[in-house]
Amino acid sequence: MEKEKRFTVRKMTIIGVLGAISAVLGMTPLGFIPVGPTRATIMHIPVIIGALMEGPVVGGFVGLIFGIFSIFQAITNPTPVSFVFLNPIVSILPRVLIGIVSSYVYNRLKKMGKEKTKILLYLILIGIISYLSYGIYINIKNQSSIWLSLMNIGLIALTLIIIYFTATKLKDRALDIIISTTIGTLTNTVGVLTMIYIFYAERFVGAIGGDINTARKVIMGIGVANGLPETIIGIIIVTSVVGALKSRR
């Protein structure tokens, strides 16, 4: 009974610490990176760290704090699209799922073995590069803004750096952390944008000055512009923090 109590206190303490970090990020510009009229975020990082270190309950509670402060940010520091984050289904539900999904993916990967995990990681990274390359092709074909193509090229370069870093530095270490972080981050990005598309597609696209007749393409474009930088930053920070904490253990 005493051991179980200490275990509960430990989880509550970690929720408090990571929740406080999320609160600081949520109340200041530190947690949000302006990307055009929207904001990419690094507030998912404490959620994933909590999920990987202590399981889905801790991750889910830290994600709840993340979602609450998304609402707070929408009220106190609004942008043209902040109205979507006043809906808890958009701002809270996907953020709670970050912790749950990250934790279960991480535990599953630890049982798969290093070789299968490595193959899965490279498939994900190759898929990202293929998607970005296709975006460059479409931009050139449709004579779209050159900045979109340059952004995709930059993201491809960052993805290649991650592949190189994984192959030469990490080798077989931290592969499960990298994949869990990637899927956790995409849970946030895809979840939020899916809810936006379901509830506010035309109003959202109109608020950012886009063509409401191409709402799906516009929202998918935002997913790429926000999701990939968030994923890359998340991989760098979560891998370093969780790796260090596990080594300390």
Side-chain angles (χ1 to χ4, degrees), residues 164-180:
Y164 173 79
F165 181 73
T166 301
T168 60
K169 303 297 182 181
L170 294 178
K171 299 185 184 298
D172 292 333
R173 295 177 291 118
L175 299 180
D176 46 3
I177 299 175
I178 293 173
I179 296 176
S180 301

Side-chain angles (χ1 to χ4, degrees), residues 10 19 31 42 58 72 74 76 80 104 108 115 117 132 140-141 145 168 193 197 203-204 211 230:
R10 171 189 173 86
I42 60 172
V58 171
F72 175 83
T76 60
Y104 281 109
R108 178 61 181 171
E115 289 303 318
T117 302
L132 292 171
I140 295 174
K141 180 179 178 181
S145 171
T168 60
L193 291 177
Y197 181 75
R203 184 182 172 190
F204 175 81
D211 183 359
E230 290 173 359

Side-chain angles (χ1 to χ4, degrees), residues 224-245:
V224 173
N226 289 15
L228 291 178
E230 290 173 359
T231 299
I232 292 167
I233 295 171
I235 288 173
I236 294 170
I237 297 177
V238 174
T239 301
S240 301
V241 172
V242 174
L245 290 174

Side-chain angles (χ1 to χ4, degrees), residues 188-203:
N188 176 47
T189 304
V190 174
V192 170
L193 291 177
T194 298
M195 295 299 103
I196 289 174
Y197 181 75
I198 291 173
F199 292 105
Y200 303 106
E202 293 185 357
R203 184 182 172 190

Side-chain angles (χ1 to χ4, degrees), residues 69-89:
F69 277 94
S70 293
I71 297 176
F72 175 83
Q73 185 77 5
I75 295 172
T76 60
N77 190 19
T79 69
V81 296
S82 290
F83 65 90
V84 302
F85 294 105
L86 299 176
N87 184 343
I89 297 178

Side-chain angles (χ1 to χ4, degrees), residues 51-72:
L52 270 52
M53 291 301 301
E54 296 297 334
V57 175
V58 171
F61 271 105
V62 180
L64 175 63
I65 295 172
F66 173 12
I68 291 172
F69 277 94
S70 293
I71 297 176
F72 175 83

